[in-house]
Amino acid sequence: MKRILSILLGVALVLSLAACAQTTAPETTAAPTTAATTAPAATDAPETSAAPTVLSGTVSTDGSTSMEKVIGALSEAFMEANSKVTVTYNPTGSGTGIQAVQEGRCDIGLSSRALKDEEKASGLQETVLAYDGIAMIVNPANPVEDLTLEQIADIYTGKITNWSELGGSDSEIVLIGREAGSGTRSGFEEIVEVKDLCQYRQELSSTGDVIATVAQNPGAIGYASLASVKDTVKAVKVGGVTPSEETVKDGTYAIQRPFVLVTKEGVTLSETAQAFFNYAVSKDANAVVIAAGVVPAN
């Protein structure tokens, strides 16, 4: 009896304790913390490449008439790529072009001869653009096909005066040349070694005039830039070598000279003029220079 009573009291005590236990509200689970949305660190926007410079304005060139074809071709190509640029060319002859640079009357001078020491000493500088052969030209009716340098020298100094002495017809040789100061004349006379010794019948102011005069006179002989020679005249061989781009390039043709761009030391070209200069002497322009009949220097 006592054992049963003890069990009953124990059960009652357990039930009483359970009833008195504090009811604890379930712990509220904190909502997951959302990390503050941080904008990704601003990355520098990719640098926008500066817009290509649009060249504009005028580039003035002045000088050698022998360089007309090559400078015209280079100018045309440059203007086609730069529609707001105009490149002008004043065909005055090498000496006048050199003087124009010295006096600041043009951006770039054109000379078909190397600068003289005194010209360099005055602050001018040269950049060789290309090499050009100087062709000896006669009338197409003239049967003479080949002349040596010595024969050419004798012709221009008056030692040989008749074509019959050279296997041609019995007719007087009429000496045609360029005016004093011409780069073509200077180049010709220095190479043939007849400087200040030539007995010209006519001294003309442009390559075109020389070609036209020789074309009209069966007894005439003249010299002209190879790139300028037309079908109206005949270019004779010199020492058995035909004047051509190939023979000028390999050095086998004897009468050749440089085509030079002339600028002035200490004088900064305009952006547009400098861009044209850089293009003209670059390999990018070689195809244009070759098409003009001369050999690129680079």
Side-chain angles (χ1 to χ4, degrees), residues 17-39:
L17 289 172
C20 293
Q22 289 184 343
T23 303
T24 306
E27 198 172 300
T28 304
T29 304
T33 303
T34 303
T37 305
T38 305

Side-chain angles (χ1 to χ4, degrees), residues 231-247:
D231 292 340
T232 54
V233 293
K234 179 173 70 176
V236 300
K237 296 177 182 179
V238 175
V241 179
T242 301
S244 68
E245 179 185 329
E246 291 73 23
T247 57

Side-chain angles (χ1 to χ4, degrees), residues 32 44 51 85 97 105 109 119 157 164 170 182 234 239 243 246 256 274-275:
D44 293 335
V85 174
R105 292 187 282 108
E119 291 167 338
T157 55
S164 62
D170 182 13
S182 159
K234 179 173 70 176
E246 291 73 23
Q256 57 175 285
Q274 186 65 58

Side-chain angles (χ1 to χ4, degrees), residues 44-80:
D44 293 335
E47 288 186 14
T48 303
S49 299
T53 301
V54 177
L55 297 173
S56 62
T58 299
V59 182
S60 58
T61 69
D62 190 312
S64 172
T65 61
S66 297
M67 291 177 68
E68 179 176 6
K69 189 171 182 179
V70 66
I71 207 67
L74 288 169
S75 299
E76 183 177 342
F78 189 76
M79 289 188 290
E80 185 174 341

Side-chain angles (χ1 to χ4, degrees), residues 29-295:
T29 304
T33 303
T34 303
T37 305
T38 305
T43 55
D44 293 335
E47 288 186 14
T48 303
S49 299
T53 301
V54 177
L55 297 173
S56 62
T58 299
V59 182
S60 58
T61 69
D62 190 312
S64 172
T65 61
S66 297
M67 291 177 68
E68 179 176 6
K69 189 171 182 179
V70 66
I71 207 67
L74 288 169
S75 299
E76 183 177 342
F78 189 76
M79 289 188 290
E80 185 174 341
N82 299 276
S83 60
K84 295 183 181 297
V85 174
T86 300
V87 182
T88 65
Y89 164 63
N90 192 17
T92 59
S94 297
T96 303
I98 291 168
Q99 186 177 2
V101 175
Q102 185 69 269
E103 296 175 355
R105 292 187 282 108
C106 71
D107 294 310
I108 301 169
L110 309 173
S111 175
S112 49
R113 63 167 173 79
L115 291 180
K116 300 173 182 177
D117 289 341
E118 56 267 31
E119 291 167 338
K120 292 179 181 178
S122 72
L124 296 179
Q125 54 191 8
E126 65 179 31
T127 302
V128 178
L129 170 67
Y131 293 95
D132 175 54
I134 299 175
M136 300 306 305
I137 57 173
V138 297
N139 189 278
N142 192 326
V144 173
E145 299 286 342
D146 193 353
L147 295 169
T148 66
L149 278 177
E150 183 179 2
Q151 287 173 329
I152 294 169
D154 286 346
I155 290 170
Y156 273 86
T157 55
K159 294 179 182 177
I160 296 176
T161 60
N162 194 292
W163 284 111
S164 62
E165 299 175 65
L166 301 165
S169 60
D170 182 13
S171 60
E172 179 189 10
I173 298 175
V174 179
L175 301 181
I176 307 299
R178 289 291 305 279
E179 82 288 3
S182 159
T184 309
R185 171 171 168 166
S186 177
F188 167 75
E189 292 185 352
E190 288 175 9
I191 294 167
V192 182
E193 298 182 353
V194 292
K195 188 172 179 60
D196 299 326
L197 299 173
C198 295
Q199 299 183 18
Y200 295 109
R201 175 75 62 85
Q202 289 181 269
E203 298 178 37
L204 304 174
S205 60
S206 75
T207 296
D209 288 343
V210 171
I211 293 172
T213 301
V214 172
Q216 295 167 6
N217 190 331
I221 184 172
Y223 47 78
S225 166
L226 177 59
S228 302
V229 173
K230 297 177 170 49
D231 292 340
T232 54
V233 293
K234 179 173 70 176
V236 300
K237 296 177 182 179
V238 175
V241 179
T242 301
S244 68
E245 179 185 329
E246 291 73 23
T247 57
V248 168
K249 188 171 184 177
D250 65 22
T252 56
Y253 182 70
I255 309 177
Q256 57 175 285
R257 41 77 186 270
F259 276 173
V260 172
L261 302 182
V262 183
T263 52
K264 193 172 183 180
E265 292 180 5
V267 175
T268 302
L269 294 174
S270 69
E271 182 181 17
T272 301
Q274 186 65 58
F276 175 71
F277 182 97
N278 293 345
Y279 164 70
V281 299
S282 73
K283 292 187 182 298
D284 291 340
N286 279 2
V288 176
V289 172
I290 291 169
V294 290
V295 180

